[in-house]
Amino acid sequence: MMQEVQNKKIEVQELGLKDYKETWDYQEQLFEEILDLKVKNRREDTNLETPNYLLSVEHPHVYTLGKSGDISNLLINEKQLEEKGAKFYKINRGGDITYHGPGQMVIYPILDLDNFFTDIHKYLRLLEEAVILVLKEYGINAERSDGETGVWLDVGTPFARKICAMGVRASRWVTMHGLALNVNADLGYFDNIVPCGIKEKAVTSLNVELGKNQVDMEEVKQKFLNHFKDLFDAEF
């Protein structure tokens, strides 16, 4: 068996504002292409380089429920969804229910972890770390919360609140789905769900924490990409 080459180059794609389902289908397509290549390498003892992608996107209002999620965590019915201009999808990532919408930086790394390291726990921790380092640049002390994926503020206090949600899927070390950091998010939309199935935990957004109407999304994204690149020892 030939030693697989490690390709640390990641193609960053800016998708702008894009429908959740369209983006999900596109993720699936890239994900399957990488898997097919890995299977071919194994079967034919070839050594073809597998690509890596990082998709950056904002979604119109949408609620998504992970495969282990409970539908009762969506607190509104179909008619109310329509009235709010929101969609709902059941999807194949881990985690419970979450909300995506404009003003949220959504990042989907579609990586072959064989190119980096084969450790899902480490992968999740590094995603969190990239967000924690971004927030630090804005003077915000963010951290992890034991047993709860994502990035939080004031952990262990009655004021604990989540600023970044995460949910990933991996097969043969290829990843999809990712993280959503609230930058200028409309937090009212979180009132219609039990976010991530965790009751009595608040959600916040970077602009709220900084007391601003708007935070420069492009600047946040650039900071995130810089930290991601360093942590994964990657090239863009």
Side-chain angles (χ1 to χ4, degrees), residues 4 6-13 26-35 37-38 49-55 107-120 122-124 126-127 130 168-179 224-225 228-229 231-236:
E4 285 184 15
Q6 284 193 313
N7 170 30
K8 291 187 177 293
K9 292 190 192 74
I10 301 176
E11 184 184 317
V12 178
Q13 296 187 7
Y26 181 52
Q27 280 193 76
E28 288 274 10
Q29 181 195 324
L30 297 176
F31 181 79
E32 292 300 334
E33 280 171 13
I34 300 173
L35 280 180
L37 202 49
K38 293 189 79 163
E49 207 173 69
T50 50
N52 306 289
Y53 303 94
L54 188 146
L55 311 181
I107 301 286
Y108 297 128
I110 301 169
L111 310 179
D112 178 2
L113 289 182
D114 268 322
N115 288 323
F116 301 94
F117 48 79
T118 48
D119 182 336
I120 288 294
K122 179 179 177 179
Y123 172 64
L124 289 168
L126 288 187
L127 288 184
V168 303
R169 176 187 171 209
S171 176
R172 291 176 188 257
W173 300 115
V174 182
T175 67
M176 66 179 285
H177 299 299
L179 64 92
F224 176 83
L225 291 175
F228 187 95
K229 192 167 112 182
L231 290 166
F232 283 82
D233 189 23
E235 294 171 60
F236 288 149

Side-chain angles (χ1 to χ4, degrees), residues 41-210:
N41 275 342
R42 209 153 290 162
R43 276 204 192 123
E44 302 175 15
D45 210 11
T46 48
N47 203 6
L48 302 168
E49 207 173 69
T50 50
N52 306 289
Y53 303 94
L54 188 146
L55 311 181
S56 167
V57 65
E58 280 181 75
H59 294 305
H61 303 296
V62 65
Y63 296 104
T64 69
L65 184 71
K67 56 180 185 284
S68 54
D70 184 344
I71 187 68
S72 68
N73 288 324
L74 176 66
L75 308 176
I76 54 175
N77 60 31
E78 264 181 59
K79 186 171 184 299
Q80 290 167 305
L81 274 172
E82 246 170 69
E83 285 163 6
K84 294 183 183 300
K87 291 181 175 176
F88 171 75
Y89 296 109
K90 277 187 174 176
I91 60 170
N92 60 352
R93 61 161 167 75
D96 205 288
I97 197 161
T98 195
Y99 158 77
H100 295 307
Q104 209 179 46
M105 179 187 83
V106 179
I107 301 286
Y108 297 128
I110 301 169
L111 310 179
D112 178 2
L113 289 182
D114 268 322
N115 288 323
F116 301 94
F117 48 79
T118 48
D119 182 336
I120 288 294
H121 183 73
K122 179 179 177 179
Y123 172 64
L124 289 168
R125 299 299 78 82
L126 288 187
L127 288 184
E128 289 165 346
E129 190 62 24
V131 173
I132 288 167
L133 291 170
V134 169
L135 295 170
K136 196 175 178 183
E137 289 196 55
Y138 288 95
I140 291 173
N141 179 30
E143 52 197 326
R144 297 174 182 86
S145 177
D146 270 355
E148 298 171 328
T149 315
V151 178
W152 299 74
L153 309 184
D154 290 335
V155 171
T157 76
F159 309 107
R161 54 209 182 279
K162 192 177 210 176
I163 194 165
C164 176
M166 280 172 40
V168 303
R169 176 187 171 209
S171 176
R172 291 176 188 257
W173 300 115
V174 182
T175 67
M176 66 179 285
H177 299 299
L179 64 92
L181 173 64
N182 297 330
V183 178
N184 302 303
D186 179 347
L187 298 177
Y189 276 83
F190 284 98
D191 296 342
N192 307 316
I193 58 172
V194 179
C196 304
I198 303 164
K199 290 187 172 67
E200 288 149 30
K201 285 276 175 91
V203 177
T204 189
S205 186
L206 182 55
N207 63 327
V208 172
E209 295 298 324
L210 295 177

